[in-house]
Amino acid sequence: PRQYITLLRTYQLVYSSKKQGVAKRQAHLQAGVSKLNDARALVDELKRKAGVQRALLAEKQAEADVALKEITASMQSASEQKSEIEVVKQQQSEELAKLEKRKKAIVIELSEIEPLVQEAMKAVGNIKPETLSEIRALRAPPDVIRDILEGVLRIMGVYDTSWGSMRNFLARRGIKEEIQSFDARKINPTIRESVNELLTKNEKSFDPAVAKRASQAALPLASWVKANIKYSYVLERIQPLEAEQAQLQENLDRSNAKLEKLGKQLETLEKRVLEMRDTFEKRTTEAARVRIEVEKEEETITAAQNLIGKLEGEHKRWSGQVGELAREMELLTKRSLIAAGFITYLSKAPEDERRQKLGEWLDKVGLDAQTFSVRRFLSTESEQLIWKGEGLPSDDLSMENALVILHSQQTPLLIDPSQRATEWLKVHLKESRLEVINQQDSNFTTALELAVRFGKTLIIQEVDGVEPLLYPLMRKDLASQGPRSVVQLGDKSIEYNESFRLFLSMRNPQPEITPDAASIITRVNFTTTRAGLTAQLLASTLQSEKPELEERKAALLKSEEDLKVQLAALEESLLQELAMAEGNILENKALLESLNQTKVKSTTIGSSLEESMQLQRSLDQERDSYLPLATYGSTLFFVIADLSKINNMYRFSLSSFLRLFVKALQNKQDTGNTELRIRTLMMTLQSLIYEHVCRSLFKADRLMFAMHLVHAMHPQLFQQNEWELFTGQVVADKQEKAKQTKDSVPTWCDQERAQAVLQIKSSFPTLYANLDFNSVDTWKGFARSSECEKEFPPGVAKRMTPFQEVLIIQAVRPDRLQTAMEHFAMRALNLKELSPSTLNLKKLYQTESTETEPVLIVISPGVDPSQELQELAESTVGGDRYHQVAMGQGQADIALQLLRESAVKGDWLCLKNLHLVTAWLPVLEKELNSLEPSKGFRLWLTTELHPKFPAILLQSSMKVTYEAPPGIKKNLERTYDMWSPELVSQGNLVVRSQTLFALAWFHAVVQERRCYIPQGWSKFYEFTQADLRVAQSIVDRLMAKAGKPQWDFMCGLMESAVYGGRVDNNFDCRVLASYLKQYFNDTVISGQAGGRQSALPCGPIPASLKIQDYQSFLSSLPDTDRPSFFGLPANIDRSSQRTISAHVIAELKVLMRSEGSGDKFDREAWLQELAPLLNLWKRLNQGSELINKKLVLPSNKVESPIVEFIALERYNAINLIQVVHSSLAALNKVLKGSSLLTPSVQKLAASLLRHEVPSKWSSLWEGPEDPPIYLRSLVARALALGVWEEKSQNGALLKEGMLDLSELFHPDTFLNALRQLTARTMKCSMDSLKFVCSWKPGGLSAAKISVQVVGFQLEGCTFDGTRLIENTRDTSSVSTIPPCTIAWIPKEAPPPYPETESISLPLYYSAERERLVICMDMPCQGDKVQWIQCGAAMFLKDH
């Protein structure tokens, strides 16, 4: 409910703020668009008015032109009349005078034009070259400049008047002098007329004022053009002067007759001219007025059209945005709800879950996932750029988390292992009266109270959880005290300031948050993601490989960010200016100028931004060539992160991974090819990571890691479903009938491998066909070989991949599977060996350790690196600067004090046994995080495995595992390194020294025998150095008291107390006792060399008091243990490999689990993983009525215990099948969506998703641990019990055929029922009967009731039906026992085999040897110790 209320509050805040922002933006855009629309309307109105005015102007101009023509005509006529009169009156003299006057007029005309030409030439000479260069640099010149230059070019005789020609003309050397020296006589009439036409057509361009505005060079050139044209006209008039004079003379002679007539008309004409002149002046004045108005309007129209044209893009975009904002306002409720849900519910979810949930929500509310983004909805681009500049990582997860932090209505809790987000938050909030404190600070409460009182922004770092003290504050449990609000903090009421803001931060990636705290905080998870790490690794790669590329990219991004911010600001400025404008914006010159300038800047920035983005795309292509390496590295990190599923201690920090990544990049091998270089770096990184991780793993887990690494990083080595088959994930069809199964198995292969071979056949039929399994000659050598992984038939090997070879070995020779996996992994990873070189603390200190990173040594039980560490410290910093604390009760404060002092002084400190104080370790980790140690400081930590060891300390430490080297020789050497020469020679008794050696040998054997569980020991027994010390003290006391060995007493103590006290299996006790009897006796330890002394498995014990003699003897021992050292069979390696490979595969299955997949319901993920199991169950029950059979509890009135047992066993089997069916049916309904998820179904699914048998099933029958095998075994047993029940009811069960005990759920109960039936038949007590078995042909003729049974397998030796046979190296590790007759006979009756010729062996339910069925006496020859120590045992075959 609290989260729902938070959702509503968040929705309300997001909706109101977005609505306000959208409305404000809408108002801005609408105002801007409205102003532009008004301007368009005004332009249209002005155009209409200008059209009317132009029509009026044309009319007035036409009237004026008519009047002018009339005046001109009249005046011309009057002038002609006067001229004619004068010519007539003056005759010849007057004609000459007129001629002279004409000449003078020509001279005057020349005198007027020549100064203008000179002045124009001078002005041209004053043109500055820079001005011409500016004109030439123009991409597209204004019309004025183009017109003037066209005139110049035409006069100069250049007919190409394109802009390129003009630029070339201006670029000529001495162009000004060429223009100045131009001779106007070169102008022909054609040129003159074309230039004159240009002057007339574009008269405005040659207007001085217009030309001057266009350019400083334009006015002189315009004047020069006009002057030269006029000059050309004058020159043309002078040329025909004489011809004109002759013509005038002739004209005057003809005009004498008109003299009288002209005189009369002259007076009338002059009066009319005066009248017309008055009319012309009036019409000219009106036309001038109209022209001024038209020009003004056209100027306004031109300016407005220019502005509107420039803002056309903005007008369209803003108009579109207005529509989009209207649609956004319609969708705002849905989008706000999605954003609020994201902030409230998805802040702690990983990226993939966020995408999935958002997609589901968007579908439900009808929004398009392609067009809606939470990032774009809740923040602007400029805001994200600012956050990025403040240090926030730029990946999607970090950006989304920033939105959650800034919009959350609850207190954000930052889960920030790298602390980058916390540092960003500090920078982002630095202007908000920020205060940062640690939860562990002594003044924490005081700082909190002051922050609340004065309204500060408070960041609490290094929180372990949510302090109850903060609950009222985070819930805002405010109380009113008059005008103020107060909140309860502890026992104080503090005045609450509304400006107070609280943020919490922790580095622990797996915090334990209580439910009450989880409801009042918003968890924001900044844990590393694949995408974020890929980006980080790419940056590191480029920094090393192409640093200049990354610098250019950074500079481009910075430039792009600045340009985007400027562009956004300019657009906002445009809108603001338009929105704030009043009146007619077309008459607001200042506004128009400002808008013009803003638009020019905006266009320039837009162009720059486009160029920047194009360049960035080019750089990104070059950067992306290194992306495969970054992706490879990111995948590799998460591959090793999976190891924490196996063991809590297997956690690795990102910082150490990044160091190794950078180290890999330092491989300077020059390949000359980027792709080849990347492959080289990948192999280098893989090698470094493998060695680093293996150093932190126990040896037993290194093969698992190698296989996991190959599968994850080299998927090309595996074909579809191969890995699933290898790890047991492939669910095969219903098992075939026993006969079909037997017939399909090759004759050279053990029958027990039938099911595995069938699975290969059904899963990979093509591969199976290529194998040619039926050819005995082809596979005979492989089947018998002790190294079959190296001896595949050559013809077959060519048709298989390396991993298919592993699959074949797993199917038919699992006793060599470990070696096969090792070879496969080494070949795939290009390794010489799977285990790295032995740990050397000195090398670790010199090459890798730092003062800021503690070295965490994870030790196996019974191992202590203290001595080696102390020796290293003494040789490096000196014994006085090395301190160690064995952690335990009361040592925490001492350890912290020593830690602080050592950090300041640069000393070394070792804190031992941290697994004893896991609750205190978070305090240690936070202390380490706050330290600023000196350079020489080193912190060494030792711990055993612990499931609750803090993850954050594991990740911040350099981890190494410290195990005892395997093997008896190394074990003995450690013991003698621990013993001093004085201890060995104490008492001067050679017998004592030899006894100590035998004790050391015994201790090594019982410890190293643990490598062969369950055949060596049935389970792991923690034999430690303490046991050895106690046993040694017993030897010393007995020798000191008696002076000679008391073997029975000493062996009794060790068998019953010292070592035997740890052993809880009778057959393991028997092994222990056999070792004690074999090693501690007078024939082995005589105190003398030679004589009657017999030898230990390693040879005779030296008869010496000197420790050097024993150490010399140890050096002669082989490094690899021989099976004979333990009394184990020669083929023990086969059994060991079976066990180890099964353990590796089990761990690989754990790694394949989806982390937390059972905690949350995910229908698709559950369906994908569980569908094969559900289909298997469906197929197993096809044609069976068991799931619907009505159950009736068997009657207990049945006379035969066997019949009663079988009925009850059958009843329980059917009941279990129906329980399994009902639970799987409920699960299936949930997966199909027809039923709701219940806690019981979720618990069931969680178990199955973890590949575990649900507790509800195992409580009814503890069968196999793997669910598919459990189901197969359950159905097979239930069906078999149907046959048993039918035979038992007919009375034929014990009389006909052989019984397979492995078909029963409780074979031990069957044997007890047989005992009870025998007792009833013989009318004796059950206690008076003993169990016997026989493999003799005649069976047990003396028994009243005997049964022939099968289904037994033997490990440790072989049985041929008459006696036990020692296994050779090539013998199969498990063999099938022939049918056996069993019975219960009286205790006094002689057994089938004499006690001296038989040995009692255990019969277990399974090869794991966890549950005992019964003990059986088997015939044997020779010393029984051989069969005891070889770990011989029987177990029921698998179903």
Side-chain angles (χ1 to χ4, degrees), residues 1023-1073:
F1023 302 122
T1024 66
Q1025 295 295 328
D1027 299 330
L1028 178 63
R1029 284 194 294 271
V1030 171
Q1032 175 217 315
S1033 67
I1034 290 173
V1035 170
D1036 288 343
R1037 290 183 183 183
L1038 291 177
M1039 290 290 180
K1041 179 181 286 189
K1044 63 178 181 177
Q1046 301 179 42
W1047 302 125
D1048 291 341
F1049 185 58
M1050 186 182 78
C1051 291
L1053 282 176
M1054 289 201 285
E1055 179 184 348
S1056 303
V1058 182
Y1059 286 91
R1062 301 184 184 275
V1063 181
D1064 56 5
N1065 181 294
N1066 290 335
F1067 296 96
D1068 289 339
C1069 288
R1070 194 166 64 170
V1071 172
L1072 188 71

Side-chain angles (χ1 to χ4, degrees), residues 645 1153-1161 1166 1249:
K645 298 175 185 176
R1153 297 176 189 167
S1154 300
E1155 202 162 5
S1157 58
D1159 301 336
K1160 298 177 184 176
F1161 178 56
W1166 284 21
L1249 288 168

Side-chain angles (χ1 to χ4, degrees), residues 1065-1082:
N1065 181 294
N1066 290 335
F1067 296 96
D1068 289 339
C1069 288
R1070 194 166 64 170
V1071 172
L1072 188 71
S1074 72
Y1075 283 146
L1076 290 169
K1077 186 176 180 181
Q1078 179 184 358
Y1079 301 157
F1080 298 99
N1081 57 70
D1082 290 333

